Amino acid sequence: MAKTSPVNYGVYLVTDSTPAILGGRDLCQVVEESLRGGVTILQYRDKHSDHDVVVDTARKLHAIAQKYNVPLLINDRVDVAVEIGCEGVHIGQDDMAYSEARRLLGPDKIIGVTANSKQEALRACEAGADYLGIGTVYATATKKDTKSIIGPAGVREILSALAAAGHGSIPTVCIGGVNASNIGPVIAGCCSPAKALDGVAVVSAIMAASDPAAATRDLVSKITTAMIPQVVRAVAETTPLTHNMTNLVVQNFAANIALSIGASPIMANYGEEAADLAKLGGALVINMGTVTPDGLKNYIQALKAYNDADRPVVFDPVGAGATTVRRNAVKSLLEAGYFTVIKGNEGEIQTVAGASVLQRGVDSTSSLTLAEKAQLVTKLARRLNNVILLTGATDLLSDGRRTVRIDNGHPLLASVTGTGCTLGTTVSAMVSAYTNDPLLAAVAGTVMFGLAAEMAAARSEVRGPGTFVPAFLDELYAIRQATSNNDFRWLAMAKVKALEVDDAEDS
């Protein structure tokens, strides 16, 4: 995995092999359980064992991490990283100089640097660090050489300084005393208006847990929820283009949804326009509401244009199982290019997965249990290497490693034509503005959409579908405005939970 590949810093595990933390358990087993739970990047830290012992353990950990497509970094010991050929290293202020580490590792490996002050952070970025580990946030027993405790306010100051110096694109994680009990407030407290964290590094919160997989899933739930406002804010600040290829019935509604959340909509079904539109840095939505030979040709042309421009594409296989024509169209589109997110109801997602499902129009009758749906989205996401969003009373999303359920929304959404289609528009804006983590972006769009529906339905003037739609648009706009003003009270209503998926590795 080269450093140019997308690296997800969201749930960053730093190992600790000391008896006080690991006890008598096997390090490799604990790490594998954490990876199964959703850890996205792994750092092996062992400053005291002999070289041969560290190399042997690092090789085992690298093999495990590669099973989950997660990068392994070695703390401090650059020679070990060189010897085993892992993805990179993390170095502290008292470790090897960045320039020497880069010389030994070559240009394509990840090098992260610890920073405890604005000066250290700026020096690391100017040297060329791929990411920063900022802290220590709070006192911790796992790191004895802590120079100072900076707290969330100190992290926020460093993030502001990075943004001001033009280093806002450098990924950052915070570390030190962060656990499931404080992770939400820490992420919110560290967030600068100019730059937010890209993840959180933890040690004992996972390594000392009796059930590392469950502890990791809990962290995934809380980190994902806490980072939703970053995605919502990114849309409001960047006004991404959302190019919708959709049916006439929902075009006006989709455009208003996009405007309400801060995106810039265009409804353009002619494939010849796609190459120029893709250059504008937005995302494409292919909504298969109306299937014709010419329409399919336009979809494929647009898909290839956005793939060539390396921009996100959201696919909504409307009524995929209803007719042979639609099933064949889905197959043709899947063969034609790559989709960042595929969104659909149970029947549509089953059809994408290759099952023979007969749908009554765009409707879907549920035949799967929640556990079966979770398996479906996880295995399909892993097979297609993308994000799958299965909509319903409970929405399920997966990138093949992390699988979450979202229980926000309201029954009135089902009483209005096009709400499912416009969720695709919402998600497209999120994945366009926040490309680092498509799953987080899709979760953010789904939560925002569902919460706005709940808030709209609760308004006294809403008596049914006719009064619900304008209230829904108002609430989407209200969430966007509140987030821009650092008011995240709406987030308390979010219902996001990472799920354990049985036998996901057997797919």
Side-chain angles (χ1 to χ4, degrees):
M1 181 183 297
K3 73 175 183 180
T4 52
S5 300
V7 178
N8 188 331
Y9 294 93
V11 185
Y12 188 139
L13 173 62
V14 181
T15 70
D16 188 325
S17 304
T18 61
I21 299 296
L22 189 62
R25 296 171 298 164
D26 178 70
L27 175 64
C28 291
Q29 182 178 351
V30 171
V31 166
E32 178 146 20
E33 289 178 15
S34 73
L35 291 170
R36 189 175 294 118
V39 161
T40 60
I41 184 167
L42 175 66
Q43 180 191 139
Y44 172 40
R45 184 169 72 186
D46 186 340
K47 292 181 176 288
H48 304 296
S49 296
D50 292 339
H51 174 83
D52 290 347
V53 173
V54 173
V55 169
D56 181 63
T57 303
R59 288 192 194 280
K60 294 176 181 176
L61 291 176
H62 194 210
I64 295 169
Q66 286 179 312
K67 284 172 52 180
Y68 295 86
N69 197 30
V70 167
L72 171 68
L73 311 182
I74 306 296
N75 180 278
D76 179 18
R77 303 173 79 152
V78 179
D79 58 330
V80 174
V82 173
E83 187 168 345
I84 73 165
C86 67
E87 286 67 44
V89 299
H90 184 90
I91 53 179
Q93 293 295 316
D94 300 324
D95 297 332
M96 180 183 289
Y98 173 88
S99 57
E100 179 64 8
R102 179 58 71 198
R103 184 186 71 79
L104 292 170
L105 289 164
D108 296 327
K109 298 296 185 180
I110 301 167
I111 300 181
V113 179
T114 297
N116 189 252
S117 68
K118 291 185 286 186
Q119 294 77 17
E120 290 177 354
L122 292 171
R123 280 199 303 269
C125 290
E126 288 159 7
D130 292 300
Y131 78 91
L132 300 181
I134 303 175
T136 301
V137 182
Y138 298 126
T140 170
T142 64
K143 192 169 177 64
K144 303 295 185 181
D145 59 344
T146 302
K147 292 182 291 187
S148 62
I149 307 300
I150 62 175
V155 176
R156 186 169 62 249
E157 289 179 5
I158 292 172
L159 293 176
S160 296
L162 291 175
H167 300 302
S169 63
I170 301 297
T172 55
V173 299
C174 70
I175 187 169
V178 184
N179 54 54
S181 69
N182 62 18
I183 205 162
V186 166
I187 292 174
C190 290
C191 184
S192 159
K195 179 172 172 55
L197 289 169
D198 294 272
V200 177
V202 298
V203 186
S204 58
I206 292 176
M207 295 303 301
S210 59
D211 186 340
T216 303
R217 287 194 298 272
D218 188 36
L219 289 171
V220 168
S221 303
K222 291 173 178 175
I223 291 173
T224 301
T225 302
M227 295 181 73
I228 288 172
Q230 297 180 19
V231 184
V232 175
R233 188 199 299 273
V235 173
E237 291 179 349
T238 61
T239 318
L241 179 76
T242 171
H243 172 188
N244 287 250
M245 301 184 79
T246 189
N247 58 80
L248 295 173
V249 175
V250 300
Q251 285 186 0
N252 182 68
F253 192 21
N256 286 329
I257 291 284
L259 291 171
S260 296
I261 65 175
S264 177
I266 184 169
M267 307 292 142
N269 288 336
Y270 187 36
E272 288 290 338
E273 294 186 284
D276 289 336
L277 292 172
K279 296 174 184 176
L280 301 178
L284 171 68
V285 182
I286 295 179
N287 180 288
M288 208 179 68
T290 303
V291 182
T292 64
D294 284 343
L296 183 59
K297 179 182 177 182
N298 285 318
Y299 294 157
I300 291 173
Q301 186 173 0
L303 171 62
K304 291 181 176 178
Y306 274 80
N307 282 176
D308 288 345
D310 196 27
R311 296 304 304 167
V313 183
V314 176
F315 179 34
D316 189 346
V318 178
T323 66
T324 300
V325 168
R326 288 178 182 271
R327 287 190 289 273
N328 289 337
V330 168
K331 183 179 179 181
S332 296
L333 285 164
L334 291 174
E335 292 173 348
Y338 175 76
F339 294 100
T340 313
V341 180
I342 299 179
K343 178 208 77 72
N345 59 34
E346 182 181 314
E348 291 160 354
I349 297 301
Q350 285 181 292
T351 301
V352 170
S356 296
V357 178
L358 185 61
Q359 287 186 255
R360 186 170 62 95
V362 302
D363 297 328
S364 175
T365 56
S366 180
S367 61
L368 301 180
T369 66
L370 181 68
E372 289 170 336
K373 292 177 186 178
Q375 282 189 337
L376 170 64
V377 297
T378 302
K379 293 181 178 182
L380 183 58
R382 186 170 306 144
R383 192 180 93 202
L384 300 179
N385 191 31
N386 63 7
V387 172
I388 301 296
L389 164 53
L390 191 159
T391 59
T394 294
D395 299 312
L396 294 171
L397 299 90
S398 181
D399 63 358
R401 293 301 168 199
R402 298 166 294 164
T403 301
V404 301
R405 63 179 292 173
I406 297 174
D407 289 287
N408 292 112
H410 193 275
L412 277 174
L413 285 170
S415 300
V416 177
T417 298
T419 52
C421 300
T422 55
L423 174 58
T425 301
T426 304
V427 169
S428 75
M430 302 292 162
V431 295
S432 177
Y434 197 90
T435 57
N436 294 345
D437 187 348
L439 178 68
L440 172 59
V443 167
T446 306
V447 168
M448 184 183 189
F449 200 86
L451 283 181
E454 292 178 21
M455 294 159 71
R459 289 168 61 158
S460 60
E461 70 270 25
V462 172
R463 302 185 303 278
T467 46
F468 171 75
V469 171
F472 178 51
L473 294 173
D474 284 349
E475 293 298 345
L476 286 170
Y477 178 79
I479 291 174
R480 163 192 161 192
Q481 291 295 99
T483 304
S484 296
N485 293 324
N486 296 316
D487 180 359
F488 306 146
R489 286 176 292 179
W490 57 270
L491 192 62
M493 297 171 60
K495 299 174 183 176
V496 180
K497 183 179 180 181
L499 297 177
E500 178 180 10
V501 181
D502 293 335
D503 301 321
E505 295 306 312
D506 296 332
S507 59

